[in-house]
Amino acid sequence: MSGFRPLSSGLKALQPEAFGADPSGERMARIRRSPHFKDGVFQNPGGSTGRPSLSMVDFAKIYFDKDERPRRAPQGTVPVHATTLADLAKPPATGLRLTWMGHSSVLAEIDGHRVLFDPVWGQRCSPFPFVGPKRVHPVPLPLAALGPVDVVVISHDHYDHLDLPTIKALADTDTLFAVPLGVGAHLEHWGVSADRLRELDWHEATKVGGLTLTATPARHFCGRGMRNTQHTLWASWSVAGDEHRVYHSGDTGYFDGFRDIGAEHGPFDATMIQIGAYSEFWPDIHMTPEEGMRAHLDLQGGRPHGVMLPIHWATFNLAPHPWAEPGEGTVEAAHATGSRIALPRPGEPFEPTADTVPSDPWWRAVALAPEGGWPTALTGAAIRTTAASAADAQSATGNDSDRGADEGTGEPEAVAAG
């Protein structure tokens, strides 16, 4: 796949500011030197460019189906945690705390440092303020109330991960930004100085205080404008502190590289895994809950370890699946594998290494129930008991951590989404 021809200078002048800027100069020269850049575009692991081939007309027919549309949005007010600000004022007792702000936005407090992943405080994930997917719940607290952040981490430049209003607000602070190769062009265009950027190719790392941040591979694609090329990279991220390690998937399809990431950078105390906005029309660039759990296990050496936080769901309506389906699917996948999951309400802080984490299926109170009603949920104590039993069984049978994820871990087979 070759790139489109650049827009004329006249058309460029009409572009919305949210389109950002194309890489140029030394940044573009560095992109061309990347081993992941071929035939004029960034490539996914395995060589594909990853863009979905579904036409907008075909997608609209499915997305706006009048019978299914009610299930793709909550039927009541989404419960947002009420005391986020007060809770964050106290340091985490264990040294590690995660606060899911909705979608893929997570504040991670790691060994005395604060990392903000994919912050989206805007009302729409769109280049225009008047059209595009609108959030279905408010942000848990104003961005200004969040307090100082050591580093903002961006996974890629799609609107639901790189938000113009949020970045412009953060541009007035002294926080650093860790971004995939090429994405720095957008941030500089919006007022972030070059000396605050840490722009990384896959497998490159940077130090921020006592943290090591590594850009790791993902299977996705990029782009903000109508005719832009694959000149900005997408990434997942490993962040390691003195005592704790976390992983943020960004957006990605399932691929074998999760095992390599886990072997090099894991195991992780917590993984933040994309499990929403999947579809049978783009199976290679987003994961189902079952695939997300498989990725979590791969990252942990093929056995249940740490806590998996499902992200990239519940905030924006971006795919044809029912709104509550990613949450339900994550619960089922956790039970099937004996894995520990956290199910916080937006804004609800939790400590992954503590004895308990949020585990109630809160979405059921505001979602349209499926035909036949909600299944008997194995959440909370039941999942913890299952996870403990699985760990005991592995210990008793002598299974070690380097056993393959498909060799007796109980992980589900990946199934088609939709």
Side-chain angles (χ1 to χ4, degrees), residues 9 18 68 75 107 112 140 154 172 196 202 219 258 290 304 309 344 350 370 401:
S9 58
E68 293 299 323
Q75 303 300 297
L107 174 67
I154 303 297
D172 293 332
R196 290 165 55 199
W202 291 342
R219 186 176 178 84
F258 290 117
E290 293 85 0
L309 170 65
F350 71 95
S401 60

Side-chain angles (χ1 to χ4, degrees), residues 223-240:
R224 295 180 73 84
M226 297 179 67
R227 301 179 64 187
N228 49 333
T229 53
Q230 301 254 80
H231 288 170
T232 58
L233 188 60
W234 48 96
S236 57
W237 290 86
S238 164
V239 179

